[in-house]
């Protein structure tokens, strides 16, 4: 069985500052993929960033980067220069092995304050 | 632009009155998923299709059914909606997992209200 844990239900950050969202996971698979999805209020869920477990280098996408600690099974998302449009619910998710099904964490609500 | 489209965006139905939600995709993806999402919760997978193969989650109620007549379209049928079925229903697609790509692409969702 796979599990994804997001222990912080809510966070708040001042515009232009940096915030880190934490996520831990557990899987018995050797080959797996990790994702952060963003779901703004009343809007579509979109992929923010992905990380292949076999890659040691941390993924980055513009202001978004991850800190992937494979041994610790940790996958945190760092948002730099936070913008008002970053206000959303963020879900950490895992796909393992040949399975295509996503295991989601409970999500964290991020509010960016002006 | 290639995308996942869900219609309608908002649906109101009466208690016990069958309702069908639709999803279409222009991505030509093999796999299509239906999720139920309640407020401030993670999406809960109901079932998915891998091409024509239907895969039901063990805890999905019999009240929920699905059809995939072709690659592009997938439908969610709720045979007798209860008040507890009021939720956002998300459709998602992904490429064949053997391609090495596992990310899912989500539609905008259909918000179902049961009166």
């Amino acid at each position: 069985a796979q599990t994804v844990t997001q222990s912080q239900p809510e966070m708040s950050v001042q515009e232009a500052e940096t915030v880190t969202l934490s996520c831990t996971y557990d899987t018995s698979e050797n080959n797996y993929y990790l994702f952060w999805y963003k779901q703004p209020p009343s809007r579509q869920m979109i992929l923010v960033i992905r990380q292949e477990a076999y890659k040691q280098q941390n993924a980055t996408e513009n202001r978004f980067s991850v800190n992937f600690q494979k041994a610790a099974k940790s996958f945190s998302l760092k948002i730099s220069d936070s913008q008002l449009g970053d206000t959303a619910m963020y879900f950490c998710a895992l796909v393992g092995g040949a399975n295509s099904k996503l295991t989601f964490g409970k999500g964290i609500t991020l509010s960016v304050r002006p | 632009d290639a995308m996942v489209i869900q219609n309608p965006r908002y649906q109101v139905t009466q208690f016990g009155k069958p309702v069908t939600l639709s999803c279409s995709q222009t991505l030509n993806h093999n796999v299509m998923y239906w999720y139920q999402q309640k407020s401030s919760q993670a999406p809960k997978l109901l079932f998915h299709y891998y091409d024509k193969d239907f895969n039901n989650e063990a805890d999905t109620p019999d009240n929920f059914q699905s059809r995939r007549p072709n690659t592009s379209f997938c439908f969610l049928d709720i045979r007798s909606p209860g008040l507890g079925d009021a939720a956002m229903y998300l459709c998602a697609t992904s490429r064949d997992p053997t391609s090495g790509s596992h990310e899912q692409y989500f539609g905008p969702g259909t918000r179902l209200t049961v009166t």
Side-chain angles (χ1 to χ4, degrees), chain A residues 31-33 35 37 39 42-47 50 52 54 89 91 95-107 109, chain B residues 4 9-10 31 33 35 37 40-43 45 48 50 57 88 90 94-95 97 100-109 111:
Chain A
N31 186 25
Y32 56 90
Y33 301 80
F35 306 93
Y37 281 91
Q39 190 175 35
S42 302
R43 292 183 64 186
Q44 198 157 340
M45 177 125 39
I46 59 172
L47 179 68
R50 61 172 276 173
E52 293 89 341
Y54 61 84
M89 197 154 186
F91 292 98
V95 165
N99 198 331
S100 67
K101 295 194 291 186
L102 281 170
T103 299
F104 283 96
K106 288 188 174 182
T109 300
Chain B
V4 181
R9 295 292 308 278
Y10 300 91
V31 193
Y33 308 81
Y35 291 89
Q37 187 180 28
S40 299
Q41 295 183 20
L45 183 64
H48 74 280
Y50 187 155
E57 293 301 297
M88 178 73 84
L90 301 176
S94 67
R95 293 186 184 90
S101 172
H102 294 268
E103 53 257 49
Q104 294 187 17
Y105 297 79
F106 286 82
R111 182 165 296 283

Side-chain angles (χ1 to χ4, degrees), chain A residues 9 17 36 54 70 77 88-90 93 96 98 114:
Chain A
E17 292 188 347
W36 279 97
Y54 61 84
K70 191 170 183 178
L77 174 69
M89 197 154 186
Y90 287 81

Side-chain angles (χ1 to χ4, degrees), chain A:
Chain A
Q2 298 173 160
T3 61
V4 176
T5 302
Q6 294 178 255
S7 55
Q8 307 156 299
E10 294 180 1
M11 285 191 77
S12 179
V13 65
Q14 193 75 33
E15 193 176 7
E17 292 188 347
T18 295
V19 64
T20 299
L21 312 183
S22 63
C23 172
T24 58
Y25 64 91
D26 194 17
T27 179
S28 57
E29 299 288 345
N30 290 321
N31 186 25
Y32 56 90
Y33 301 80
L34 293 158
F35 306 93
W36 279 97
Y37 281 91
K38 169 186 177 181
Q39 190 175 35
S42 302
R43 292 183 64 186
Q44 198 157 340
M45 177 125 39
I46 59 172
L47 179 68
V48 175
I49 200 164
R50 61 172 276 173
Q51 174 81 43
E52 293 89 341
Y54 61 84
K55 288 187 177 178
Q56 292 186 334
Q57 187 172 5
N58 288 325
T60 63
E61 287 288 342
N62 300 314
R63 298 183 295 108
F64 299 88
S65 61
V66 298
N67 183 4
F68 175 46
Q69 300 289 325
K70 191 170 183 178
K73 295 185 176 177
S74 170
F75 183 61
S76 61
L77 174 69
K78 186 172 84 170
I79 306 174
S80 304
D81 186 25
S82 297
Q83 300 176 0
L84 296 178
D86 296 334
T87 292
M89 197 154 186
Y90 287 81
F91 292 98
C92 180
L94 164 72
V95 165
N99 198 331
S100 67
K101 295 194 291 186
L102 281 170
T103 299
F104 283 96
K106 288 188 174 182
I108 178 170
T109 300
L110 176 67
S111 300
V112 180
R113 305 186 304 273

Side-chain angles (χ1 to χ4, degrees), chain B residues 10-72:
Chain B
Y10 300 91
Q11 176 75 57
V12 180
T13 190
Q14 292 178 332
F15 182 95
K17 185 175 180 180
V19 66
T20 295
L21 310 182
S22 73
C23 176
S24 63
Q25 54 133 340
T26 59
L27 297 162
N28 203 32
H29 283 172
N30 299 80
V31 193
M32 293 186 78
Y33 308 81
W34 278 106
Y35 291 89
Q36 180 191 67
Q37 187 180 28
K38 298 197 172 178
S39 183
S40 299
Q41 295 183 20
K44 178 182 180 297
L45 183 64
L46 296 173
F47 24 62
H48 74 280
Y49 276 93
Y50 187 155
D51 293 325
K52 289 185 179 293
D53 292 334
F54 178 70
N55 299 271
N56 199 28
E57 293 301 297
D59 57 354
T60 298
D62 292 341
N63 198 25
F64 292 86
Q65 304 285 318
S66 186
R67 297 169 282 135
R68 190 179 185 185
N70 54 52
T71 301
S72 301

